[in-house]
Amino acid sequence: MIYPIVKFGNPVLEKPAEPVTVFDGDLKKLVEDMFESMYEAHGIGLAAPQIGFSKRVAVIDITFKGDENAKLVLVNPEIIHSEGKHTQPEGCLSIPEFREPVSRARKVTVRAQDINGKWFERCGEDLLARALLHETDHLNGKLYISHLSALKRDLMKRKIRKLVKAGEW
Ligand SMILES: [Zn+2]
């Protein structure tokens, strides 16, 4: 099932998501729906709160259907190591039409559970590192705009408020 993407302004995006403790068919269905909803929205990463579920689940496919093996499911993820720094324009499905340069670690290691509850570690560099950090942030109720200067963030929020008023958000 394809869900609409929850947009900035909805409180579900700014509260820490609940840990997953049950690894059952409902979780598998949620992950399936998340991939479908992410592809439909032309994204390369999606966190469960972005379709309205406050659960610590994220999916990533930086190849966008290019490689079945690149599909990544992260349950209860935690960044356990990060190094380096790079700055790249970043966007978010929940904040459409906006992109801003964000500085992030260039290389990270994430520790997470898979769909069956088995713990694993995964290293990522560049775009994958950025996606791992962006999605893990989502599960902590944090959006990429929190990494921008207060000035830039306020400007964006003002533009968004105008869009909301115009019924275009
Ligand atoms: Zn996002």
Side-chain angles (χ1 to χ4, degrees):
M1 175 180 169
I2 292 166
Y3 286 88
I5 306 295
V6 170
K7 287 186 183 176
F8 175 70
N10 187 315
V12 73
L13 293 174
E14 290 177 89
K15 70 172 189 188
E18 293 292 324
V20 172
T21 53
V22 182
F23 295 81
D24 59 1
D26 286 350
L27 181 65
K28 289 189 173 70
K29 178 80 177 90
L30 174 64
V31 165
E32 241 171 65
D33 291 345
M34 285 174 66
F35 274 113
E36 267 186 55
S37 306
M38 177 184 84
Y39 290 135
E40 178 70 15
H42 303 285
I44 58 164
L46 186 80
Q50 292 183 278
I51 56 166
F53 294 88
S54 191
K55 282 182 180 289
R56 300 185 80 81
V57 185
V59 298
I60 292 173
D61 176 5
I62 59 164
T63 70
F64 194 77
K65 301 182 190 176
D67 178 2
E68 188 66 21
N69 295 320
K71 286 171 78 174
L72 200 52
V73 177
L74 304 163
V75 182
N76 300 323
E78 246 184 288
I79 302 293
I80 56 169
H81 179 76
S82 59
E83 63 181 83
K85 195 179 156 183
H86 69 157
T87 306
Q88 290 281 321
E90 196 168 314
C92 177
L93 293 177
S94 294
I95 313 174
E97 310 298 329
F98 290 88
R99 279 183 90 73
E100 289 292 341
V102 179
S103 294
R104 301 234 189 222
R106 204 189 64 76
K107 198 174 167 186
V108 303
T109 305
V110 69
R111 182 172 183 265
Q113 282 169 287
D114 67 13
I115 192 86
N116 300 308
K118 191 169 173 257
W119 287 97
F120 66 96
E121 285 183 16
R122 178 75 188 256
C123 292
E125 291 184 38
D126 302 315
L127 181 58
L128 180 56
R130 184 167 294 277
L132 291 169
L133 289 162
H134 182 112
E135 301 313 331
T136 307
D137 268 1
H138 265 303
L139 302 180
N140 294 324
K142 201 168 163 184
L143 298 166
Y144 83 88
I145 58 171
S146 66
H147 296 285
L148 304 177
S149 71
L151 193 70
K152 251 189 188 165
R153 189 166 52 244
D154 288 346
L155 192 66
M156 270 176 80
K157 284 186 178 173
R158 221 177 307 154
K159 284 184 187 163
I160 291 169
R161 269 200 294 275
K162 266 191 196 158
L163 290 170
V164 172
K165 250 192 192 163
E168 288 166 16
W169 189 252

